[in-house]
Amino acid sequence: MHNRMEEGLLVSETLKVRVWVESKKIWRVAFPSILTRVSAYGILVVTQAFMGHIGETQLAAYALIQIIGIRFANGILFGMSSATETLCGQAFGAGQYHMLGIYLQRSWIIDLTAATLLVPFFVFSGPIFRLLGQDEDIAEDIENISLWFIPILYYFVFSLTIQKYLQGQLKNRIVGWLGAASFVIHVFLSWLFVIKWNWGVPGAMSAMNISCWLMVVGEFAYVFGGWCSETWRGFTKAAFIDLLPVIKLSISSGVMICLEFWYNGVLILVASYMTNATIAISAFSICINIIAWELMISIGFLVAASVRVANELGRGNAEAARFSVKVISITSLCIGLFFAVLCLIFGHSMSYLFTSNEEVAESVSSLSVLLALSILLNSLQPVFSGVAVGAGWQSVVAFITIGCYYIIGVPLGLLLGYVAHLQITGIWTGMICGVVTQTLVLSYIIWRTNWDDQVNNAANHLNRWLLKPSEETNESPTHA
């Protein structure tokens, strides 16, 4: 009996040590990523807050183009850059350091093409939203505001891909500090341009563009300045080799993330056809932006899950990948529970950060329970998506997302919102049902996964796309 007690204590202590060691590895990736995501999304939210003080029509127009247009574009580009995260993370784990720079350049080629294809949507956003039946006043403001978002498309391309490249090699701390600095600069510039100098919409949008591109300049300086000497060997023609399989992975990644990001946008569009649409859009968009800002924390854990799983699969350590998934899931769930409780307590007060309209604030307050539940669910779902990115399951998750969100969530939201006359509450309830279904399906898949098979799959992919250092050098790179 005494020996069994000692063995139990030893196992308990060993587990504590393993959890502590794994937690340090997770937070090494997650904290800078959280800081980056919160700061980057904070720039969009702060801009929305200043738009709300410029006028309610401008707020509604900004909400529509940001949550539908920018969320859609960001979903595609964020998703496509997650292919870079998969490849860089697994290559770094396997010790193929020289391949990271090549994967980064391939992602630039592919993502720049995708961003350019998205530009016409922002150029012709006014006619598109008029065709969808938007009020003329809102459509006119959308037409003006959307053009300011075009530079943001190209900011997404470089910022997201460089972040994935740095995260894969555990060097994303610099990105966190750059993101925080950009956010502080943005708050100051927004106050200066909108409040002090009264430049209105051009002032708010100029502040956003300047702040975002300052971050990209800092990332370029870090990569080209010699801080990534093992993984960045300059520009090379090798970036144009084996583009097709990377394009396939990028497209499946883009579809997976885009379907998730655009889900809320579809529901915002549906809400815009309700009675008193301006109030409905404003209130719902404020709630969605609160969710999305907290989601930036969960995306930090998505990144941590992706990097940890990819690194361990690249190293051939199936057990470490499995254990990491468990620790990340529990950690993210605890944080989500904390923020859900905060929303229940301060649901009414936080609405005044985004609007001075009492009717909008009351509408936001009435949705606080759904807001808290969404935040709790979003603490798990991104982690499971991160596991999928790390293992390279993007195409499978894309099909699951279509079924759960667009076959279950959206139709159910429409039925509850319009047929059952629950309005915004009904639409949001349908959305939550879709998220619950997807989370349950992904958790089952991860639980049933044979991680030894995933190690073999990762090894096969890396070996198929590997260029030896000598082969890369023979391609005559041009050094930055």
Side-chain angles (χ1 to χ4, degrees):
M1 179 69 72
H2 183 68
N3 289 336
R4 288 181 180 177
M5 290 179 63
E6 286 184 346
E7 289 176 3
L9 289 172
L10 183 61
V11 170
S12 178
E13 288 299 319
T14 303
L15 180 61
K16 288 180 182 178
V17 171
R18 288 183 65 196
V19 170
W20 175 248
V21 171
E22 181 61 35
S23 294
K24 288 195 294 184
K25 292 178 180 178
I26 290 168
W27 282 104
R28 181 180 176 184
V29 178
F31 180 73
S33 182
I34 290 170
L35 186 59
T36 303
R37 304 298 173 198
V38 170
S39 300
Y41 196 76
I43 289 175
L44 295 175
V45 175
V46 166
T47 304
Q48 181 178 15
F50 278 93
M51 284 289 183
H53 293 287
I54 292 171
E56 293 304 319
T57 305
Q58 288 84 355
L59 174 62
Y62 178 89
L64 280 171
I65 194 65
Q66 183 216 324
I67 296 179
I68 295 176
I70 284 298
R71 191 180 295 272
F72 177 69
N74 182 248
I76 291 176
L77 297 172
F78 183 89
M80 294 183 75
S81 66
S82 75
T84 312
E85 192 167 19
T86 302
L87 296 171
C88 287
Q90 293 183 359
F92 185 79
Q96 299 173 3
Y97 302 129
H98 67 286
M99 289 299 298
L100 273 73
I102 296 174
Y103 289 140
L104 175 62
Q105 291 172 64
R106 288 174 183 170
S107 69
W108 284 344
I109 295 167
I110 296 167
D111 289 14
L112 277 170
T113 303
T116 302
L117 292 174
L118 291 170
V119 167
F121 174 83
F122 292 87
V123 173
F124 300 106
S125 61
I128 290 171
F129 277 95
R130 287 189 184 94
L131 189 63
L132 293 173
Q134 285 302 315
D135 294 339
E136 181 61 28
D137 290 344
I138 295 178
E140 285 183 7
D141 281 314
I142 287 174
E143 202 164 25
N144 177 33
I145 292 170
S146 63
L147 296 177
W148 288 93
F149 275 111
I150 293 175
I152 299 298
L153 291 178
Y154 294 98
Y155 150 76
F156 285 150
V157 170
F158 294 109
S159 181
L160 291 172
T161 51
I162 294 174
Q163 286 172 32
K164 305 298 185 185
Y165 160 79
L166 293 174
Q167 287 161 4
Q169 55 190 302
L170 308 178
K171 288 187 175 181
N172 59 330
R173 185 178 300 176
I174 181 64
V175 180
W177 292 120
L178 286 172
S182 297
F183 177 75
V184 172
I185 291 170
H186 177 63
V187 172
F188 171 73
L189 290 179
S190 296
W191 171 81
L192 183 66
F193 293 170
V194 177
I195 304 299
K196 186 72 173 177
W197 292 347
N198 198 27
W199 286 0
V201 170
M205 301 304 292
S206 295
M208 181 179 68
N209 277 285
I210 292 170
S211 305
C212 288
W213 275 95
L214 282 175
M215 182 174 177
V216 173
V217 171
E219 290 173 341
F220 276 129
Y222 185 80
V223 174
F224 297 159
W227 285 278
C228 301
S229 57
E230 284 188 318
T231 58
W232 178 263
R233 300 187 177 186
F235 292 102
T236 172
K237 295 177 183 177
F240 293 91
I241 299 174
D242 287 331
L243 272 179
L244 185 58
V246 181
I247 290 172
K248 290 180 179 178
L249 182 60
S250 296
I251 290 174
S252 61
S253 300
V255 170
M256 183 190 88
I257 301 294
C258 179
L259 288 171
E260 295 183 8
F261 277 33
W262 206 39
Y263 186 40
N264 294 342
V266 169
L267 296 171
I268 285 286
L269 183 61
V270 170
S272 69
Y273 295 106
M274 290 185 166
T275 306
N276 200 359
T278 300
I279 297 297
I281 295 170
S282 298
F284 199 18
S285 67
I286 286 171
C287 290
I288 294 299
N289 275 301
I290 292 170
I291 292 172
W293 209 350
E294 188 277 335
L295 186 61
M296 297 304 107
I297 298 175
S298 298
I299 288 178
F301 287 102
L302 181 156
V303 171
S306 172
V307 172
R308 289 294 299 128
V309 169
N311 284 171
E312 296 302 341
L313 292 181
R315 291 189 183 99
N317 195 335
E319 176 56 34
R322 184 187 299 110
F323 184 72
S324 182
V325 172
K326 294 177 182 177
V327 176
I328 293 172
S329 298
I330 293 172
T331 304
S332 183
L333 182 61
C334 291
I335 292 174
L337 183 62
F338 170 76
F339 281 105
V341 171
L342 285 184
C343 284
L344 290 174
I345 296 173
F346 300 107
H348 182 74
S349 303
M350 68 176 65
S351 61
Y352 290 103
L353 294 173
F354 303 93
T355 183
S356 53
N357 186 305
E358 183 65 30
E359 192 174 356
V360 174
E362 288 296 328
S363 182
V364 172
S365 180
S366 68
L367 297 170
S368 59
V369 174
L370 292 175
L371 177 62
L373 182 57
S374 295
I375 286 174
L376 185 61
L377 286 170
N378 285 340
S379 65
L380 272 181
Q381 186 273 335
V383 172
F384 296 156
S385 294
V387 175
V389 170
W393 303 338
Q394 287 93 328
S395 57
V396 174
V397 178
F399 284 111
I400 293 171
T401 302
I402 290 172
C404 296
Y405 284 5
Y406 297 94
I407 296 178
I408 296 174
V410 172
L412 185 59
L414 290 172
L415 285 173
L416 294 175
Y418 286 96
V419 178
H421 304 292
L422 295 178
Q423 300 291 306
I424 291 292
T425 301
I427 291 174
W428 201 344
T429 301
M431 179 182 75
I432 288 174
C433 290
V435 176
V436 168
T437 307
Q438 189 210 35
T439 303
L440 291 174
V441 172
L442 289 178
S443 62
Y444 177 76
I445 290 173
I446 292 170
W447 177 58
R448 298 284 295 175
T449 294
N450 186 321
W451 289 98
D452 292 315
D453 289 345
Q454 299 306 314
V455 167
N456 294 330
N457 292 339
N460 291 335
H461 290 151
L462 291 173
N463 292 332
R464 189 185 314 141
W465 297 333
L466 174 64
L467 289 174
K468 295 180 180 180
S470 58
E471 293 176 316
E472 183 213 345
T473 304
N474 289 337
E475 292 295 336
S476 302
T478 302
H479 290 277

